[in-house]
Amino acid sequence: MNIRPLAGPVALMATLALCVTACGSTDDPANADGAAKVTVWIMKDSVTDDFLTRFRTDFEATHKGTTLDIQIQEWDGIGEKVTAALASKDAPDVIEVGNTQVAQYAASGGVRDLSAKVAELNGADWLPGLAEPGKVDGKQFGIPWYAANRVVIYHKELFAKAGITAPPKTRAEWLTVTAKLDEGSTQGIYLPGQNWYTLSGFIWEDGGDLAVRNGTQWKGALDTPQALAGMDFYRQLQALGKGPKDSDEAKPPQADVFAKGDVAQIIAVPGGAKIVEEANPALTGKLGFFPIPGKTADKPGAVFTGGSDLIVPEASAHPDAAYEVVKALAGEKWQTEMARTMSYVPNRTSLAHVIQDDEGTAAMAAGAAQGRATPNSPQWAAVEATNPIKQYMTAVLTGTDPARAAKDASESITKTLGS
């Protein structure tokens, strides 16, 4: 899943408008296909124009004879555009895609299998929640580029006022702390009833899943005891605030609600704090971060990992040079640069230390180690289009029998995944 569907962008960067085209010789022995120009599609607002300029300059200096044509793409309508490109004979050489979109694109047969490159790319060190969506039927089509996940953003002064000196480490502590905060005019937490990405983490933490695969068939799994336990925890936490039961974090924007100053916690990506501070500058310096707590104190809870992968189309005119671009962007040097520039979580667990000086990003990196992704089915995008999970959540929060609501939602998911 790309970052755009998260509740608020990871970072609101200036509009990118970089399309670099240059000419050069083709005498680079490292490029067996004699590449002269490599076309790279990067999504709008993924990284800054300065980052791309620095990357292009460095890449072209170290890959003589190859130049980069970096083209910025809009998120709106990108699915159809990528699908058409993969089916054409004139595809770009490298494409950034949302990590949970890889299965859909790979099903078309137009994406190059990069399994043989995983060891060279240090794949054993990749974040599981970012790497797994790029792997379809045992083949690695998507190479992890960057990740982001939700954390708890909290109001430090409200915590101090309630006598809470440290963030909770376990789910049980979290409920106790939040109940203590939920007094008088203060909301313990603002948690909308349809924040299904957050629910997904709770379900995974309890050992459940949204859907499971049996051979070639997928089946909705919200009605398992484990998934029902995750939903029950969500219900308990959501009750400790005044969040709506029938909408998600965008309606109304939860950053605007938090900016009023009477909410103790929200669940969002760390960049959401900047949006809150822009809405209410008086909160600048008063917001803290901690990973979503797990069932035990030894590790954070499971979370949904959003982010992007890099793919190489089968129709790439310069597959060897395209791989070199992927290798560079996914490698230690530019992963470190991107993490520090964009406050993203690097694709490797061993690089978590490069962002430890930023409280929000450090909390996100700690949670990323427990990151997961949505079911790796080409049809999952169709599930999200109608999203029976949201309807299920509202049904439970408004009094419907959880088991019955979960069964209905699971049947809907099964039908869509099998279509």
Side-chain angles (χ1 to χ4, degrees), residues 41-83:
W41 283 6
I42 298 294
M43 299 309 302
K44 181 179 178 180
D45 295 339
S46 283
V47 289
T48 63
D49 53 357
D50 175 67
F51 174 88
L52 289 176
T53 298
R54 287 187 285 117
F55 174 75
R56 174 184 59 83
T57 300
D58 180 81
F59 186 87
E60 292 180 351
T62 55
H63 296 76
K64 300 297 183 182
T66 299
T67 57
L68 300 184
D69 177 10
I70 301 178
Q71 301 178 4
I72 303 305
Q73 305 296 318
E74 297 284 346
W75 283 111
D76 189 28
I78 191 60
E80 294 83 355
K81 189 170 184 178
V82 171
T83 299

mmCIF file of all heavy atoms in Angstrom, residues 41-83:
data_model
loop_
_atom_site.group_PDB
_atom_site.id
_atom_site.type_symbol
_atom_site.label_atom_id
_atom_site.label_comp_id
_atom_site.label_asym_id
_atom_site.label_seq_id
_atom_site.Cartn_x
_atom_site.Cartn_y
_atom_site.Cartn_z
ATOM 1 N N TRP A 41 9.491 5.991 -13.322
ATOM 2 C CA TRP A 41 8.273 6.637 -12.831
ATOM 3 C C TRP A 41 8.311 6.676 -11.310
ATOM 4 O O TRP A 41 8.379 5.632 -10.649
ATOM 5 C CB TRP A 41 7.036 5.857 -13.273
ATOM 6 C CG TRP A 41 6.649 6.065 -14.709
ATOM 7 C CD1 TRP A 41 7.331 6.757 -15.657
ATOM 8 C CD2 TRP A 41 5.477 5.548 -15.347
ATOM 9 N NE1 TRP A 41 6.664 6.711 -16.862
ATOM 10 C CE2 TRP A 41 5.526 5.975 -16.705
ATOM 11 C CE3 TRP A 41 4.408 4.760 -14.925
ATOM 12 C CZ2 TRP A 41 4.526 5.642 -17.619
ATOM 13 C CZ3 TRP A 41 3.415 4.431 -15.841
ATOM 14 C CH2 TRP A 41 3.474 4.878 -17.170
ATOM 15 N N ILE A 42 8.244 7.889 -10.758
ATOM 16 C CA ILE A 42 8.200 8.091 -9.309
ATOM 17 C C ILE A 42 6.903 8.809 -8.975
ATOM 18 O O ILE A 42 6.499 9.751 -9.665
ATOM 19 C CB ILE A 42 9.408 8.930 -8.829
ATOM 20 C CG1 ILE A 42 10.713 8.205 -9.132
ATOM 21 C CG2 ILE A 42 9.288 9.241 -7.335
ATOM 22 C CD1 ILE A 42 10.918 6.917 -8.376
ATOM 23 N N MET A 43 6.246 8.386 -7.902
ATOM 24 C CA MET A 43 4.967 8.965 -7.536
ATOM 25 C C MET A 43 5.132 10.335 -6.874
ATOM 26 O O MET A 43 6.083 10.586 -6.141
ATOM 27 C CB MET A 43 4.207 8.029 -6.594
ATOM 28 C CG MET A 43 3.890 6.668 -7.213
ATOM 29 S SD MET A 43 3.095 6.769 -8.839
ATOM 30 C CE MET A 43 1.635 7.726 -8.437
ATOM 31 N N LYS A 44 4.173 11.190 -7.166
ATOM 32 C CA LYS A 44 4.178 12.547 -6.619
ATOM 33 C C LYS A 44 4.207 12.528 -5.092
ATOM 34 O O LYS A 44 3.469 11.776 -4.448
ATOM 35 C CB LYS A 44 2.935 13.295 -7.096
ATOM 36 C CG LYS A 44 2.854 14.741 -6.611
ATOM 37 C CD LYS A 44 1.607 15.408 -7.154
ATOM 38 C CE LYS A 44 1.494 16.838 -6.640
ATOM 39 N NZ LYS A 44 0.272 17.503 -7.163
ATOM 40 N N ASP A 45 5.078 13.335 -4.539
ATOM 41 C CA ASP A 45 5.229 13.515 -3.092
ATOM 42 C C ASP A 45 5.880 12.344 -2.373
ATOM 43 O O ASP A 45 5.934 12.332 -1.149
ATOM 44 C CB ASP A 45 3.888 13.831 -2.413
ATOM 45 C CG ASP A 45 3.308 15.166 -2.848
ATOM 46 O OD1 ASP A 45 4.086 16.008 -3.330
ATOM 47 O OD2 ASP A 45 2.096 15.365 -2.710
ATOM 48 N N SER A 46 6.387 11.354 -3.107
ATOM 49 C CA SER A 46 7.097 10.265 -2.432
ATOM 50 C C SER A 46 8.409 10.767 -1.849
ATOM 51 O O SER A 46 8.757 10.446 -0.717
ATOM 52 C CB SER A 46 7.363 9.109 -3.401
ATOM 53 O OG SER A 46 6.198 8.357 -3.607
ATOM 54 N N VAL A 47 9.143 11.531 -2.648
ATOM 55 C CA VAL A 47 10.413 12.111 -2.206
ATOM 56 C C VAL A 47 10.522 13.525 -2.753
ATOM 57 O O VAL A 47 9.783 13.918 -3.657
ATOM 58 C CB VAL A 47 11.627 11.273 -2.672
ATOM 59 C CG1 VAL A 47 11.705 9.956 -1.929
ATOM 60 C CG2 VAL A 47 11.574 11.020 -4.170
ATOM 61 N N THR A 48 11.466 14.287 -2.231
ATOM 62 C CA THR A 48 11.625 15.668 -2.666
ATOM 63 C C THR A 48 12.366 15.746 -4.000
ATOM 64 O O THR A 48 13.090 14.828 -4.389
ATOM 65 C CB THR A 48 12.413 16.483 -1.638
ATOM 66 O OG1 THR A 48 13.733 15.939 -1.526
ATOM 67 C CG2 THR A 48 11.745 16.448 -0.267
ATOM 68 N N ASP A 49 12.212 16.880 -4.680
ATOM 69 C CA ASP A 49 12.939 17.070 -5.925
ATOM 70 C C ASP A 49 14.443 17.124 -5.679
ATOM 71 O O ASP A 49 15.239 16.661 -6.500
ATOM 72 C CB ASP A 49 12.452 18.320 -6.660
ATOM 73 C CG ASP A 49 12.465 19.569 -5.797
ATOM 74 O OD1 ASP A 49 12.789 19.480 -4.596
ATOM 75 O OD2 ASP A 49 12.145 20.642 -6.334
ATOM 76 N N ASP A 50 14.844 17.650 -4.510
ATOM 77 C CA ASP A 50 16.267 17.700 -4.184
ATOM 78 C C ASP A 50 16.845 16.295 -4.063
ATOM 79 O O ASP A 50 17.951 16.016 -4.537
ATOM 80 C CB ASP A 50 16.477 18.467 -2.873
ATOM 81 C CG ASP A 50 17.940 18.451 -2.418
ATOM 82 O OD1 ASP A 50 18.775 19.060 -3.107
ATOM 83 O OD2 ASP A 50 18.228 17.810 -1.390
ATOM 84 N N PHE A 51 16.095 15.390 -3.417
ATOM 85 C CA PHE A 51 16.560 14.006 -3.294
ATOM 86 C C PHE A 51 16.752 13.388 -4.669
ATOM 87 O O PHE A 51 17.772 12.732 -4.944
ATOM 88 C CB PHE A 51 15.546 13.183 -2.490
ATOM 89 C CG PHE A 51 15.865 11.710 -2.425
ATOM 90 C CD1 PHE A 51 16.678 11.210 -1.423
ATOM 91 C CD2 PHE A 51 15.362 10.836 -3.386
ATOM 92 C CE1 PHE A 51 16.986 9.847 -1.369
ATOM 93 C CE2 PHE A 51 15.663 9.482 -3.348
ATOM 94 C CZ PHE A 51 16.478 8.987 -2.340
ATOM 95 N N LEU A 52 15.784 13.572 -5.556
ATOM 96 C CA LEU A 52 15.887 12.990 -6.891
ATOM 97 C C LEU A 52 17.033 13.589 -7.690
ATOM 98 O O LEU A 52 17.709 12.889 -8.445
ATOM 99 C CB LEU A 52 14.566 13.172 -7.641
ATOM 100 C CG LEU A 52 13.396 12.326 -7.135
ATOM 101 C CD1 LEU A 52 12.124 12.672 -7.897
ATOM 102 C CD2 LEU A 52 13.695 10.843 -7.268
ATOM 103 N N THR A 53 17.264 14.877 -7.519
ATOM 104 C CA THR A 53 18.378 15.512 -8.219
ATOM 105 C C THR A 53 19.704 14.930 -7.753
ATOM 106 O O THR A 53 20.600 14.627 -8.553
ATOM 107 C CB THR A 53 18.364 17.037 -7.998
ATOM 108 O OG1 THR A 53 17.158 17.573 -8.550
ATOM 109 C CG2 THR A 53 19.558 17.701 -8.674
ATOM 110 N N ARG A 54 19.849 14.776 -6.438
ATOM 111 C CA ARG A 54 21.085 14.213 -5.903
ATOM 112 C C ARG A 54 21.276 12.770 -6.350
ATOM 113 O O ARG A 54 22.390 12.349 -6.686
ATOM 114 C CB ARG A 54 21.082 14.303 -4.370
ATOM 115 C CG ARG A 54 21.294 15.717 -3.850
ATOM 116 C CD ARG A 54 21.452 15.769 -2.338
ATOM 117 N NE ARG A 54 20.195 15.586 -1.632
ATOM 118 C CZ ARG A 54 19.918 14.583 -0.825
ATOM 119 N NH1 ARG A 54 20.818 13.622 -0.621
ATOM 120 N NH2 ARG A 54 18.756 14.503 -0.205
ATOM 121 N N PHE A 55 20.177 12.006 -6.367
ATOM 122 C CA PHE A 55 20.276 10.618 -6.807
ATOM 123 C C PHE A 55 20.667 10.544 -8.278
ATOM 124 O O PHE A 55 21.544 9.755 -8.656
ATOM 125 C CB PHE A 55 18.950 9.886 -6.581
ATOM 126 C CG PHE A 55 18.958 8.495 -7.155
ATOM 127 C CD1 PHE A 55 19.644 7.471 -6.522
ATOM 128 C CD2 PHE A 55 18.310 8.207 -8.353
ATOM 129 C CE1 PHE A 55 19.688 6.193 -7.057
ATOM 130 C CE2 PHE A 55 18.342 6.933 -8.902
ATOM 131 C CZ PHE A 55 19.033 5.924 -8.258
ATOM 132 N N ARG A 56 20.016 11.325 -9.110
ATOM 133 C CA ARG A 56 20.327 11.292 -10.541
ATOM 134 C C ARG A 56 21.791 11.645 -10.799
ATOM 135 O O ARG A 56 22.482 10.969 -11.566
ATOM 136 C CB ARG A 56 19.429 12.274 -11.300
ATOM 137 C CG ARG A 56 19.784 12.397 -12.783
ATOM 138 C CD ARG A 56 18.946 13.450 -13.469
ATOM 139 N NE ARG A 56 19.105 14.760 -12.886
ATOM 140 C CZ ARG A 56 20.108 15.598 -13.189
ATOM 141 N NH1 ARG A 56 21.030 15.245 -14.050
ATOM 142 N NH2 ARG A 56 20.164 16.776 -12.616
ATOM 143 N N THR A 57 22.260 12.701 -10.147
ATOM 144 C CA THR A 57 23.647 13.130 -10.348
ATOM 145 C C THR A 57 24.624 12.035 -9.951
ATOM 146 O O THR A 57 25.582 11.728 -10.669
ATOM 147 C CB THR A 57 23.927 14.401 -9.530
ATOM 148 O OG1 THR A 57 23.036 15.440 -9.963
ATOM 149 C CG2 THR A 57 25.364 14.864 -9.706
ATOM 150 N N ASP A 58 24.380 11.419 -8.811
ATOM 151 C CA ASP A 58 25.268 10.361 -8.334
ATOM 152 C C ASP A 58 25.200 9.134 -9.240
ATOM 153 O O ASP A 58 26.224 8.539 -9.591
ATOM 154 C CB ASP A 58 24.883 9.978 -6.905
ATOM 155 C CG ASP A 58 25.767 8.880 -6.336
ATOM 156 O OD1 ASP A 58 26.874 9.194 -5.876
ATOM 157 O OD2 ASP A 58 25.337 7.705 -6.349
ATOM 158 N N PHE A 59 23.983 8.741 -9.625
ATOM 159 C CA PHE A 59 23.829 7.543 -10.444
ATOM 160 C C PHE A 59 24.509 7.713 -11.800
ATOM 161 O O PHE A 59 25.228 6.817 -12.278
ATOM 162 C CB PHE A 59 22.352 7.221 -10.644
ATOM 163 C CG PHE A 59 22.107 5.916 -11.354
ATOM 164 C CD1 PHE A 59 22.043 4.729 -10.646
ATOM 165 C CD2 PHE A 59 21.966 5.869 -12.739
ATOM 166 C CE1 PHE A 59 21.839 3.514 -11.295
ATOM 167 C CE2 PHE A 59 21.759 4.667 -13.398
ATOM 168 C CZ PHE A 59 21.698 3.491 -12.673
ATOM 169 N N GLU A 60 24.289 8.841 -12.425
ATOM 170 C CA GLU A 60 24.880 9.050 -13.742
ATOM 171 C C GLU A 60 26.408 9.142 -13.667
ATOM 172 O O GLU A 60 27.111 8.739 -14.597
ATOM 173 C CB GLU A 60 24.297 10.298 -14.389
ATOM 174 C CG GLU A 60 22.832 10.140 -14.750
ATOM 175 C CD GLU A 60 22.210 11.357 -15.404
ATOM 176 O OE1 GLU A 60 22.872 12.422 -15.443
ATOM 177 O OE2 GLU A 60 21.068 11.261 -15.875
ATOM 178 N N ALA A 61 26.922 9.639 -12.544
ATOM 179 C CA ALA A 61 28.374 9.725 -12.374
ATOM 180 C C ALA A 61 28.999 8.353 -12.192
ATOM 181 O O ALA A 61 30.148 8.124 -12.581
ATOM 182 C CB ALA A 61 28.704 10.618 -11.179
ATOM 183 N N THR A 62 28.260 7.438 -11.596
ATOM 184 C CA THR A 62 28.789 6.092 -11.335
ATOM 185 C C THR A 62 28.366 5.064 -12.374
ATOM 186 O O THR A 62 28.766 3.905 -12.290
ATOM 187 C CB THR A 62 28.349 5.613 -9.935
ATOM 188 O OG1 THR A 62 26.929 5.684 -9.831
ATOM 189 C CG2 THR A 62 28.989 6.481 -8.845
ATOM 190 N N HIS A 63 27.540 5.485 -13.321
ATOM 191 C CA HIS A 63 27.098 4.592 -14.406
ATOM 192 C C HIS A 63 27.257 5.345 -15.728
ATOM 193 O O HIS A 63 26.284 5.786 -16.338
ATOM 194 C CB HIS A 63 25.639 4.149 -14.200
ATOM 195 C CG HIS A 63 25.415 3.335 -12.977
ATOM 196 N ND1 HIS A 63 25.364 3.886 -11.707
ATOM 197 C CD2 HIS A 63 25.243 1.991 -12.804
ATOM 198 C CE1 HIS A 63 25.164 2.920 -10.820
ATOM 199 N NE2 HIS A 63 25.086 1.767 -11.453
ATOM 200 N N LYS A 64 28.487 5.507 -16.130
ATOM 201 C CA LYS A 64 28.805 6.278 -17.332
ATOM 202 C C LYS A 64 28.051 5.745 -18.543
ATOM 203 O O LYS A 64 27.991 4.539 -18.765
ATOM 204 C CB LYS A 64 30.311 6.242 -17.599
ATOM 205 C CG LYS A 64 31.175 6.822 -16.480
ATOM 206 C CD LYS A 64 30.880 8.303 -16.267
ATOM 207 C CE LYS A 64 31.805 8.894 -15.194
ATOM 208 N NZ LYS A 64 31.501 10.316 -14.933
ATOM 209 N N GLY A 65 27.484 6.661 -19.300
ATOM 210 C CA GLY A 65 26.756 6.274 -20.498
ATOM 211 C C GLY A 65 25.272 6.088 -20.275
ATOM 212 O O GLY A 65 24.513 5.945 -21.237
ATOM 213 N N THR A 66 24.834 6.098 -19.014
ATOM 214 C CA THR A 66 23.407 5.946 -18.714
ATOM 215 C C THR A 66 22.877 7.249 -18.117
ATOM 216 O O THR A 66 23.496 7.816 -17.222
ATOM 217 C CB THR A 66 23.171 4.811 -17.713
ATOM 218 O OG1 THR A 66 23.630 3.586 -18.279
ATOM 219 C CG2 THR A 66 21.695 4.679 -17.371
ATOM 220 N N THR A 67 21.769 7.711 -18.629
ATOM 221 C CA THR A 67 21.108 8.892 -18.077
ATOM 222 C C THR A 67 19.712 8.502 -17.620
ATOM 223 O O THR A 67 19.142 7.510 -18.082
ATOM 224 C CB THR A 67 21.010 10.029 -19.109
ATOM 225 O OG1 THR A 67 20.311 9.554 -20.259
ATOM 226 C CG2 THR A 67 22.397 10.494 -19.509
ATOM 227 N N LEU A 68 19.178 9.296 -16.703
ATOM 228 C CA LEU A 68 17.869 9.003 -16.126
ATOM 229 C C LEU A 68 16.826 10.012 -16.572
ATOM 230 O O LEU A 68 17.052 11.223 -16.503
ATOM 231 C CB LEU A 68 17.942 8.999 -14.596
ATOM 232 C CG LEU A 68 18.884 7.989 -13.943
ATOM 233 C CD1 LEU A 68 18.748 8.068 -12.427
ATOM 234 C CD2 LEU A 68 18.618 6.580 -14.436
ATOM 235 N N ASP A 69 15.691 9.511 -17.009
ATOM 236 C CA ASP A 69 14.524 10.330 -17.305
ATOM 237 C C ASP A 69 13.510 10.032 -16.207
ATOM 238 O O ASP A 69 12.773 9.048 -16.266
ATOM 239 C CB ASP A 69 13.965 9.961 -18.682
ATOM 240 C CG ASP A 69 12.702 10.734 -19.026
ATOM 241 O OD1 ASP A 69 12.364 11.685 -18.294
ATOM 242 O OD2 ASP A 69 12.049 10.376 -20.027
ATOM 243 N N ILE A 70 13.507 10.867 -15.174
ATOM 244 C CA ILE A 70 12.637 10.640 -14.014
ATOM 245 C C ILE A 70 11.340 11.405 -14.215
ATOM 246 O O ILE A 70 11.344 12.631 -14.320
ATOM 247 C CB ILE A 70 13.328 11.076 -12.707
ATOM 248 C CG1 ILE A 70 14.638 10.301 -12.510
ATOM 249 C CG2 ILE A 70 12.391 10.859 -11.517
ATOM 250 C CD1 ILE A 70 15.404 10.685 -11.277
ATOM 251 N N GLN A 71 10.244 10.672 -14.263
ATOM 252 C CA GLN A 71 8.947 11.271 -14.562
ATOM 253 C C GLN A 71 8.016 11.117 -13.356
ATOM 254 O O GLN A 71 7.806 10.007 -12.860
ATOM 255 C CB GLN A 71 8.324 10.603 -15.791
ATOM 256 C CG GLN A 71 9.195 10.719 -17.044
ATOM 257 C CD GLN A 71 8.587 10.018 -18.235
ATOM 258 O OE1 GLN A 71 7.473 9.486 -18.170
ATOM 259 N NE2 GLN A 71 9.312 10.003 -19.351
ATOM 260 N N ILE A 72 7.472 12.232 -12.902
ATOM 261 C CA ILE A 72 6.598 12.237 -11.729
ATOM 262 C C ILE A 72 5.172 11.896 -12.139
ATOM 263 O O ILE A 72 4.623 12.465 -13.082
ATOM 264 C CB ILE A 72 6.635 13.610 -11.031
ATOM 265 C CG1 ILE A 72 8.075 13.969 -10.654
ATOM 266 C CG2 ILE A 72 5.733 13.595 -9.794
ATOM 267 C CD1 ILE A 72 8.772 12.935 -9.818
ATOM 268 N N GLN A 73 4.574 10.949 -11.415
ATOM 269 C CA GLN A 73 3.232 10.470 -11.725
ATOM 270 C C GLN A 73 2.253 10.842 -10.610
ATOM 271 O O GLN A 73 2.599 10.836 -9.435
ATOM 272 C CB GLN A 73 3.244 8.942 -11.894
ATOM 273 C CG GLN A 73 4.236 8.436 -12.921
ATOM 274 C CD GLN A 73 3.900 8.909 -14.320
ATOM 275 O OE1 GLN A 73 2.733 8.910 -14.713
ATOM 276 N NE2 GLN A 73 4.916 9.319 -15.079
ATOM 277 N N GLU A 74 1.014 11.153 -10.990
ATOM 278 C CA GLU A 74 -0.040 11.445 -10.029
ATOM 279 C C GLU A 74 -0.628 10.128 -9.513
ATOM 280 O O GLU A 74 -0.761 9.151 -10.259
ATOM 281 C CB GLU A 74 -1.149 12.267 -10.687
ATOM 282 C CG GLU A 74 -0.702 13.640 -11.169
ATOM 283 C CD GLU A 74 -0.551 14.633 -10.027
ATOM 284 O OE1 GLU A 74 -1.051 14.341 -8.914
ATOM 285 O OE2 GLU A 74 0.064 15.700 -10.245
ATOM 286 N N TRP A 75 -1.010 10.109 -8.238
ATOM 287 C CA TRP A 75 -1.640 8.911 -7.677
ATOM 288 C C TRP A 75 -3.004 8.653 -8.319
ATOM 289 O O TRP A 75 -3.381 7.501 -8.563
ATOM 290 C CB TRP A 75 -1.810 9.064 -6.163
ATOM 291 C CG TRP A 75 -0.552 8.874 -5.380
ATOM 292 C CD1 TRP A 75 0.141 9.824 -4.695
ATOM 293 C CD2 TRP A 75 0.160 7.646 -5.189
ATOM 294 N NE1 TRP A 75 1.241 9.267 -4.101
ATOM 295 C CE2 TRP A 75 1.282 7.932 -4.378
ATOM 296 C CE3 TRP A 75 -0.041 6.341 -5.624
ATOM 297 C CZ2 TRP A 75 2.190 6.966 -3.989
ATOM 298 C CZ3 TRP A 75 0.873 5.362 -5.238
ATOM 299 C CH2 TRP A 75 1.971 5.679 -4.432
ATOM 300 N N ASP A 76 -3.737 9.726 -8.583
ATOM 301 C CA ASP A 76 -5.074 9.557 -9.140
ATOM 302 C C ASP A 76 -4.993 8.912 -10.521
ATOM 303 O O ASP A 76 -4.367 9.440 -11.440
ATOM 304 C CB ASP A 76 -5.758 10.928 -9.244
ATOM 305 C CG ASP A 76 -7.226 10.812 -9.603
ATOM 306 O OD1 ASP A 76 -7.839 9.777 -9.275
ATOM 307 O OD2 ASP A 76 -7.756 11.749 -10.234
ATOM 308 N N GLY A 77 -5.603 7.751 -10.671
ATOM 309 C CA GLY A 77 -5.625 7.056 -11.947
ATOM 310 C C GLY A 77 -4.371 6.261 -12.265
ATOM 311 O O GLY A 77 -4.237 5.733 -13.377
ATOM 312 N N ILE A 78 -3.462 6.131 -11.299
ATOM 313 C CA ILE A 78 -2.182 5.466 -11.598
ATOM 314 C C ILE A 78 -2.363 3.981 -11.874
ATOM 315 O O ILE A 78 -1.607 3.389 -12.652
ATOM 316 C CB ILE A 78 -1.164 5.682 -10.452
ATOM 317 C CG1 ILE A 78 0.239 5.225 -10.881
ATOM 318 C CG2 ILE A 78 -1.614 4.975 -9.183
ATOM 319 C CD1 ILE A 78 0.790 5.955 -12.088
ATOM 320 N N GLY A 79 -3.362 3.340 -11.259
ATOM 321 C CA GLY A 79 -3.560 1.907 -11.484
ATOM 322 C C GLY A 79 -3.782 1.584 -12.944
ATOM 323 O O GLY A 79 -3.141 0.684 -13.510
ATOM 324 N N GLU A 80 -4.678 2.314 -13.562
ATOM 325 C CA GLU A 80 -4.959 2.085 -14.978
ATOM 326 C C GLU A 80 -3.747 2.403 -15.842
ATOM 327 O O GLU A 80 -3.469 1.701 -16.823
ATOM 328 C CB GLU A 80 -6.146 2.948 -15.425
ATOM 329 C CG GLU A 80 -7.462 2.582 -14.773
ATOM 330 C CD GLU A 80 -7.652 3.198 -13.398
ATOM 331 O OE1 GLU A 80 -6.704 3.843 -12.900
ATOM 332 O OE2 GLU A 80 -8.744 3.022 -12.819
ATOM 333 N N LYS A 81 -3.006 3.453 -15.468
ATOM 334 C CA LYS A 81 -1.846 3.852 -16.257
ATOM 335 C C LYS A 81 -0.744 2.802 -16.195
ATOM 336 O O LYS A 81 -0.116 2.463 -17.210
ATOM 337 C CB LYS A 81 -1.314 5.204 -15.768
ATOM 338 C CG LYS A 81 -0.239 5.808 -16.664
ATOM 339 C CD LYS A 81 0.070 7.241 -16.257
ATOM 340 C CE LYS A 81 1.076 7.870 -17.228
ATOM 341 N NZ LYS A 81 1.358 9.285 -16.888
ATOM 342 N N VAL A 82 -0.494 2.265 -14.995
ATOM 343 C CA VAL A 82 0.535 1.226 -14.851
ATOM 344 C C VAL A 82 0.117 -0.042 -15.579
ATOM 345 O O VAL A 82 0.922 -0.675 -16.281
ATOM 346 C CB VAL A 82 0.816 0.936 -13.363
ATOM 347 C CG1 VAL A 82 1.717 -0.292 -13.214
ATOM 348 C CG2 VAL A 82 1.461 2.135 -12.699
ATOM 349 N N THR A 83 -1.146 -0.419 -15.438
ATOM 350 C CA THR A 83 -1.639 -1.620 -16.111
ATOM 351 C C THR A 83 -1.466 -1.508 -17.619
ATOM 352 O O THR A 83 -1.028 -2.459 -18.287
ATOM 353 C CB THR A 83 -3.125 -1.858 -15.770
ATOM 354 O OG1 THR A 83 -3.254 -2.038 -14.355
ATOM 355 C CG2 THR A 83 -3.653 -3.085 -16.482
#
